[in-house]
Amino acid sequence: MIEILTRLPVKSLKRFQCVSKEWISIIRNQVFVDSFFSMSQTRSRFLVAVRIAENRVILLSSSHNETEVPTTSLVTNLQMPIRGCRLNPIRYTSLHTNLEMTVSGLPVDLVHCSSIHGLFCLVDPSDPGRFTICNPSTRQVITLPDIKAFSGRRKRINMFLGYDHVGNEYKVLCSTAVHGEPCQVHKVLTIGGGNLSWRSIKGRKIPRYIVVTNGICINGMVYYGGLTTKRQEKKLWIFRFNVRSEGISSISTYPQVTNHGSLINYNGKVAAASPLPRAPLGSFDLWVLDDFDEKRRWLREQFNVHPLVLHLSGKTELKILGMNRSNEVVIGPLKVPPKHEPLYIYYFNKGGQKLIRRVELEGFEEFRCNHTSDEQCVCQVIFSPEHFESLVSL
């Protein structure tokens, strides 16, 4: 029975808790929760977060069970040849998305939001100290307690969610730059157990810095970019927070890594991709952190989006979302598509055959951008190609 239950979606498990006390006990047991998540990792989902108003965020998800779309299309009906492109390297598929939950009444900037091990965190740009975490599968939402220290003093607050896969713990790191203080103030909070309280991190003092990128969690480590604020020592760094030991370390980096403020997971390594200036459309400068501890070096390569992807995407601005477990580079739109236009995600296999998949996300129609100009538009969209369902209780 337990083996069967671990293969069901969370929505079914939530309903099945009404069957009997025995089933409630099974489904809420931590061993079952862990077994369910292990199974969930073998069937990752695609999570899309869309801000359609200043205080409304929609979370949609889909399994990776793609439906083949008949190829009546562009590739067989091209009016002109595409330079450097064969006529048959692409598959057309679709994924149906389902509405997981709506988060309302909270001003959100999706630039600093992320999906971490089944949970999704939301940041209020007007009040960075207000950090909200939700579980899209169970629809639970919590807002973390305020940090009351330094009240009345100018400060910059940034928070990052991380997961320790060894200790099976979620923790939030709070990094605060307080005006007049020479060193950064770091505090940490553990999710779960009902006692949400901040505690100070012990260890070496780090000079005050300003956070300049999003945060990303890879293998129990949270990475984010920062700029030290001392005039004579202004320097860019990538900081690493060890979720298990709660230690913070850093490695120097280059302006190209932090210019666009977005770090990505590139095959298990921290990376940043930014459009190359004065280069053809679809040309990216890709910086990959090769080894944080020993080699401590950055690898740089130029990544060019396949000409066919550029042709299919038209005038849509693209960005690199990362690399999935199948070693495919995932590419998506920079902005929410306008009304009546489909939402496409592209998967590019850099191997010998250089195959491409264009995946249309269905069920997204009512959440597209209705604004007529960029000045009016407040819409944002972010993608998490490797999101997992989780039964974790907040």
Side-chain angles (χ1 to χ4, degrees), residues 35 37 104 150 161 177 205 216 235 241 272 286 299 309 335 341 390:
S35 298
F37 192 83
S104 300
F150 314 111
L161 177 64
K205 299 291 185 180
I216 183 170
K235 195 172 182 181
F241 171 64
L286 185 64
L299 301 180
V309 172
K335 300 178 181 178
E341 288 192 17
S390 174

Side-chain angles (χ1 to χ4, degrees), residues 241-293:
F241 171 64
N242 187 316
V243 181
R244 183 169 177 78
S245 69
E246 300 182 1
I248 298 177
S249 51
S250 59
I251 183 173
S252 59
T253 187
Y254 305 96
Q256 297 91 327
V257 176
T258 60
N259 274 349
H260 288 262
S262 181
L263 301 179
I264 59 175
N265 184 341
Y266 195 75
N267 197 22
K269 296 183 178 181
V270 182
S274 57
L276 278 170
R278 299 180 297 277
L281 187 67
S283 297
F284 290 88
D285 207 5
L286 185 64
W287 293 78
V288 182
L289 181 54
D290 183 42
D291 190 324
F292 192 100
D293 294 305

Side-chain angles (χ1 to χ4, degrees), residues 81-239:
I82 300 176
R83 187 177 179 181
C85 171
R86 302 182 309 173
L87 293 184
N88 61 343
I90 192 164
R91 282 179 58 215
Y92 295 91
T93 62
S94 64
L95 282 173
H96 184 75
T97 58
N98 300 299
L99 176 63
E100 291 290 351
M101 66 183 298
T102 301
V103 182
S104 300
L106 176 68
V108 169
D109 182 0
L110 289 183
V111 172
H112 296 288
C113 299
S114 59
S115 166
I116 305 292
H117 206 75
L119 301 185
F120 192 80
C121 53
L122 301 163
V123 179
D124 182 348
S126 62
D127 182 8
R130 186 181 182 186
F131 196 72
T132 301
I133 299 174
C134 63
N135 184 334
S137 302
T138 63
R139 300 188 177 181
Q140 286 181 290
V141 180
I142 61 169
T143 298
L144 302 187
D146 293 335
I147 294 182
K148 298 178 181 179
F150 314 111
S151 59
R153 299 172 65 179
R154 281 192 297 155
K155 54 189 177 294
R156 291 173 180 259
I157 300 177
N158 294 88
M159 297 192 187
F160 308 99
L161 177 64
Y163 176 75
D164 168 29
H165 57 282
V166 178
N168 193 25
E169 284 186 316
Y170 293 88
K171 294 180 182 179
V172 178
L173 170 70
C174 177
S175 174
T176 306
V178 183
H179 182 70
E181 294 288 334
C183 296
Q184 197 79 353
V185 179
H186 297 103
K187 291 182 178 292
V188 68
L189 178 149
T190 302
I191 303 295
N195 182 24
L196 297 176
S197 59
W198 295 99
R199 60 185 183 276
S200 297
I201 293 179
K202 299 178 181 179
R204 70 181 181 92
K205 299 291 185 180
I206 297 176
R208 191 178 66 207
Y209 59 85
I210 298 171
V211 173
V212 293
T213 72
N214 64 318
I216 183 170
C217 184
I218 303 175
N219 296 328
M221 304 288 180
V222 174
Y223 299 88
Y224 59 94
L227 172 67
T228 50
T229 55
K230 285 187 178 181
R231 292 181 181 177
Q232 67 274 23
E233 297 180 11
K234 280 197 171 182
K235 195 172 182 181
L236 287 165
W237 302 86
I238 293 296
F239 291 96

Side-chain angles (χ1 to χ4, degrees), residues 46 48 91 93 95 309 321 329-333 343-347 356-361 383 385:
F46 202 107
V48 185
R91 282 179 58 215
T93 62
L95 282 173
V309 172
L321 306 178
V329 179
V330 188
I331 303 168
L343 174 60
Y344 294 123
I345 302 296
Y346 300 90
Y347 292 83
I356 303 168
R357 286 187 293 130
R358 188 186 75 175
V359 182
E360 179 179 357
L361 297 185
F383 305 91

